[in-house]
Amino acid sequence: MADNKRRGEDADDDRLNDDVVSDNAENDATDAEEPVTGGGTATRERSKARVDGDRVGPFGRIARFVREVVAELRKVIWPTRKELLTYTGVVIAFVTVMLTIVAVLDYAFAKGVLWVFGNPS
C-alpha cells in the first residue's frame, strides 16, 4: 500500500503532466515526421488472428476481461480513511434528511386525502 500515490503528492507523478503541451519546436518537428496510424500493431495482430481462424475462446475472453478489470482497479485513486468516513457521514445525513421529508409529505398527503374524502370508519 505504500506504493499508492495520491494525485498531486509527488512532483514526478506522470498523471499530472498528461495535458502539458510542449513548446519545444524540435520535438514538434520530429513528431510530425512520424506516420500516424489508426490502430497500431495490436489491431493488426487482432485482425490477422481473426483471418487465420485463431479465435479466442470464451475462457480467453474471460481471462482478458479479468486482466482489464485488475488494470483499471490499479488506476483508481482510493480514498483515505478520513475521506471515506466523511463521505459516509454525508451520505447518511442526506438519506436521513430525504427520509424525513418524504415521511412528512406522506403523512400530510394521507391526512389531506382523509380530510377531503372523509374517514370511512
Side-chain angles (χ1 to χ4, degrees):
M1 287 290 174
D3 294 335
N4 290 345
K5 288 187 260 183
R6 301 201 45 81
R7 191 178 292 260
E9 286 184 355
D10 189 3
D12 296 331
D13 193 357
D14 293 334
R15 294 175 291 184
L16 294 176
N17 299 323
D18 286 344
D19 297 329
V20 175
V21 177
S22 173
D23 292 333
N24 190 348
E26 183 178 318
N27 285 343
D28 292 342
T30 56
D31 290 343
E33 294 171 3
E34 295 177 7
V36 178
T37 60
T41 58
T43 305
R44 279 187 237 123
E45 290 172 3
R46 238 183 283 129
S47 64
K48 186 170 70 170
R50 289 184 185 141
V51 170
D52 293 341
D54 297 333
R55 296 187 57 112
V56 178
F59 294 112
R61 284 184 276 177
I62 292 171
R64 183 178 55 184
F65 174 75
V66 170
R67 280 194 308 268
E68 290 176 4
V69 167
V70 169
E72 288 297 322
L73 285 175
R74 289 184 184 180
K75 296 178 188 178
V76 173
I77 299 174
W78 297 99
T80 63
R81 182 173 180 84
K82 182 180 178 183
E83 290 172 339
L84 185 65
L85 291 173
T86 301
Y87 298 155
T88 303
V90 167
V91 168
I92 290 173
F94 178 77
V95 168
T96 303
V97 168
M98 294 307 294
L99 180 99
T100 304
I101 291 171
V102 169
V104 168
L105 288 174
D106 180 51
Y107 182 77
F109 282 122
K111 287 296 183 182
V113 166
L114 288 177
W115 179 73
V116 169
F117 296 108
N119 197 353
S121 55

